[in-house]
Amino acid sequence: MAETKREVERKFEFTSVKAGRRGVPDLTGTAGIATALDRGTVDLDAVYYDTPDQRLAADGLTLRRRTGGEDAGWHLKLPVSPGVRDEVRAGLTDGVPRALTALLRSRVRDAALVPQMRLLSSRKVLHLLDAGGALLAELSTDAVRAEGHDTTAAWTEVEVELADDVDPALLDAVEKRFRKAGLTVSAAPSKLARALAETGSAPAPRPGTDPVDDTAGAHVLAYLRAQRDALVAQDPAVRRGLPDSVHQMRVATRRLRSALRTSRRVLDRERTDPLGQELRWLAGELGVDRDQEVLLERLRTRLGELPQTLVLGPVRARLRIWNTSRRSGSRRRALATLDGKRYLALLDALDALLQDPPLLPAAAKPAPRVLPKAVLADYERLSGRIGAALALTPGEDRDLALHDARKAAKRARYAAEILVPALGDPAKRLAKAMKSVQTLLGDHQDSVVARDALRALAVQANGAGESSFTWGLLHGREEALAERRERELPEVWAEASDPRLRAPLGG
């Protein structure tokens, strides 16, 4: 069974041989540190695994099998932000535990995980305590020896890792004290990264997510690459059940699909249309779980807004049971999708498209000459759908038309985002305007879905002999909110459709 620990740490190295001889300075009196308790020295032996082409190292992930110390076992480290990583731990087995291989599937796929580097460390440990004896941080001084396939390297590294819930400002105070003693923040984000660099084994730099030039093809490919990377990065977060991860993965999927449709003058549709269909499938599979997550949060919020005197019967218990029965199935479906061959084939197809893009002649033209036309076409589609929806009388047909308009607003927003590196602020302003329409229509659609759920919950409550008053009250409030959004739409659309927003695009 894997467990996860959030690591907040900072790594340091000595700036000179003289500083190294002086060693780590006394931190007593720094940021509330009252005592440095010597915890002795431990020998650590870690073998790092990766694919033969080092996909994990290229993405800043590390997978190791370590013996020695109190946490011997398998450790998978996933970057969260600079200096912050999630360490997922599993027991000491011969092969890589399945719980960890699942978290790596979007990157590893069918490739083997093989030993790439061995790090032998002699670690001196100090516990930094406050005046009450509570642990603030662990300070480790590591004498490291790296053994690659045919090369070695050695260095000394100092690491300060915060205890749970300690203010990160302590690291800033320690860094300031260390600088005066001849230590600086390490340039390498991890021991493995430094070992690979010093033994000449570092992976080739990954292509960036900025356009390599100002052509339409470069801008489209950069956007696609960024969304492909986001999709792959969110995969382990979804598997771990992290908040908002399904939403972020679904957004990346939709942005990819939207970009492929918007860039039909740049990329050959014979290659991109089938890929777009697979992205649509993936978004749909993820949507089951995400939609339930959004719906539950909405119903909880609405319920929390009611005075307690209007909450009649076991309303919260029924909501919890209803959600559990629906969410367990939707989560299983999402995970089954990520474990399936069709999903891995989609990731491979995305990689193949980016490695060998089917560029059309327009791809070689400047982005400001090519891409605005696609954005304006998406805007015109949205304009037509807004007009058609507003012409309908309130009811189910209008609800469906507004939902279609919402999808068009999202596509227009994503199309404008592709233009941001080329046009800057004008594209940002247009994307923001499209987002305002999308947000309003999204709230309206969420209300439509919520009313269906509230009606079903009222029926269930009635059947169980419970009061359905609260469910009916919430239904009425959602209906009123939807009507309010429909009244607001003309004004929001008037601002978003201001010709001045499209003028820089030639519209």
Side-chain angles (χ1 to χ4, degrees):
M1 187 69 175
E3 62 179 37
T4 302
K5 182 180 184 301
R6 174 66 54 93
E7 291 185 342
V8 182
E9 62 185 17
R10 202 165 295 177
K11 297 179 183 294
F12 301 88
E13 56 189 61
F14 293 101
T15 57
S16 66
V17 174
K18 183 179 180 181
R21 284 198 297 265
R22 286 197 303 265
V24 178
D26 182 9
L27 292 175
T28 301
T30 302
I33 299 172
T35 308
L37 180 63
D38 190 343
R39 301 292 293 175
T41 301
V42 62
D43 293 326
L44 306 174
D45 187 344
V47 177
Y48 287 78
Y49 286 69
D50 205 336
T51 59
D53 56 356
Q54 297 179 294
R55 299 176 197 176
L56 303 187
D59 281 352
L61 282 71
T62 62
L63 173 66
R64 71 187 179 200
R65 182 185 188 275
R66 191 169 77 180
T67 56
E70 298 178 353
D71 61 346
W74 287 90
H75 304 155
L76 169 62
K77 299 198 177 190
L78 302 161
V80 176
S81 59
V84 182
R85 295 187 293 179
D86 279 347
E87 182 179 89
V88 186
R89 300 174 178 175
L92 199 60
T93 57
D94 291 336
V96 183
R98 291 180 62 183
L100 301 188
T101 57
L103 298 179
L104 296 171
R105 188 162 288 124
S106 64
R107 291 178 169 91
V108 173
R109 300 175 205 171
D110 294 326
L113 287 167
V114 295
Q116 293 284 345
M117 184 71 64
R118 183 184 186 190
L119 297 185
L120 302 168
S121 304
S122 178
R123 168 170 291 182
K124 181 180 179 181
V125 180
L126 294 176
H127 279 184
L128 306 179
L129 312 178
D130 66 12
L135 179 65
L136 295 174
E138 181 174 281
L139 187 155
S140 305
T141 304
D142 295 340
V144 185
R145 175 181 171 83
E147 298 179 352
H149 293 301
D150 52 12
T151 54
T152 63
W155 69 90
T156 298
E157 179 177 287
V158 178
E159 177 182 298
V160 180
E161 180 180 342
L162 296 183
D164 293 341
D165 301 321
V166 173
D167 188 344
L170 183 143
L171 292 176
D172 295 330
V174 168
E175 180 181 341
K176 183 177 180 180
R177 176 74 180 90
F178 275 3
R179 280 202 304 267
K180 295 178 179 179
L183 288 99
T184 187
V185 175
S186 176
S190 67
K191 285 185 177 65
L192 177 63
R194 180 166 182 174
L196 292 172
E198 297 207 5
T199 60
S201 309
R206 290 196 56 189
T209 55
D210 292 327
V212 295
D213 55 43
D214 201 35
T215 62
H219 281 261
V220 169
L221 292 176
Y223 186 84
L224 291 173
R225 190 174 295 113
Q227 300 312 316
R228 186 276 314 272
D229 290 350
L231 178 65
V232 169
Q234 286 300 325
D235 178 295
V238 171
R239 295 175 188 274
R240 294 166 59 202
L242 297 186
D244 205 41
S245 57
V246 175
H247 172 60
Q248 293 301 327
M249 190 173 189
R250 194 183 185 196
V251 166
T253 304
R254 285 177 162 172
R255 280 187 164 126
L256 281 165
R257 181 170 174 245
S258 178
L260 292 177
R261 288 186 297 183
T262 299
S263 59
R264 285 173 174 170
R265 295 187 62 218
V266 175
L267 298 172
D268 190 341
R269 290 183 60 178
E270 287 191 14
R271 287 272 304 277
T272 61
D273 281 0
L275 192 51
Q277 289 300 315
E278 290 302 283
L279 288 164
R280 180 181 183 182
W281 160 78
L282 178 59
E285 293 299 303
L286 294 172
V288 177
D289 193 50
R290 170 59 183 169
D291 291 346
Q292 182 62 22
E293 181 183 41
V294 170
L295 181 54
L296 174 65
E297 183 59 31
R298 187 180 187 92
L299 296 183
R300 280 178 172 169
T301 299
R302 296 291 180 259
L303 186 57
E305 293 169 351
L306 291 180
Q308 194 58 37
T309 54
L310 298 180
V311 180
L312 305 184
V315 174
R316 289 183 174 82
R318 176 155 297 282
L319 181 60
R320 184 170 57 253
I321 294 169
W322 170 83
N323 178 68
T324 300
S325 64
R326 291 166 61 98
R327 191 73 190 277
S328 60
S330 64
R331 176 157 175 77
R332 283 196 301 270
R333 179 172 173 176
L335 293 178
T337 296
L338 300 187
D339 285 335
K341 292 181 179 180
R342 185 175 179 179
Y343 166 66
L344 296 183
L346 169 57
L347 295 181
D348 287 340
L350 284 170
D351 288 350
L353 181 80
L354 291 168
Q355 290 167 5
D356 183 22
L359 297 174
L360 297 174
K365 297 178 181 178
R369 285 180 52 193
V370 176
L371 298 182
K373 296 177 182 178
V375 177
L376 293 173
D378 285 335
Y379 166 82
E380 291 300 331
R381 180 184 296 103
L382 170 61
S383 179
R385 291 187 182 182
I386 292 284
L390 290 176
L392 296 172
T393 57
E396 184 176 353
D397 288 344
R398 178 185 260 197
D399 290 343
L400 292 173
L402 290 173
H403 184 41
D404 286 341
R406 175 200 183 190
K407 290 185 283 188
K410 190 178 300 183
R411 179 170 169 178
R413 170 193 169 190
Y414 294 160
E417 287 177 351
I418 302 175
L419 262 180
V420 169
L423 293 186
D425 287 342
K428 287 182 181 179
R429 286 192 290 270
L430 182 59
K432 184 178 179 180
M434 297 301 98
K435 183 179 179 181
S436 68
V437 178
Q438 175 194 335
T439 299
L440 182 145
L441 294 175
D443 197 26
H444 181 276
Q445 174 62 16
D446 288 347
S447 176
V448 172
V449 174
R451 278 179 274 158
D452 288 340
L454 289 165
R455 190 179 301 110
L457 282 161
V459 170
Q460 291 176 13
N462 238 359
E466 302 164 5
S467 172
S468 58
F469 171 83
T470 301
W471 303 118
L473 179 60
L474 291 175
H475 185 283
R477 290 165 71 97
E478 284 289 359
E479 196 168 39
L481 183 143
E483 291 173 356
R484 186 161 64 249
R485 293 292 176 264
E486 290 182 34
R487 290 195 301 270
E488 293 168 351
L489 177 57
E491 181 179 348
V492 171
W493 175 241
E495 293 180 3
S497 59
D498 188 329
R500 290 174 295 182
L501 288 170
R502 304 188 303 284
L505 281 68

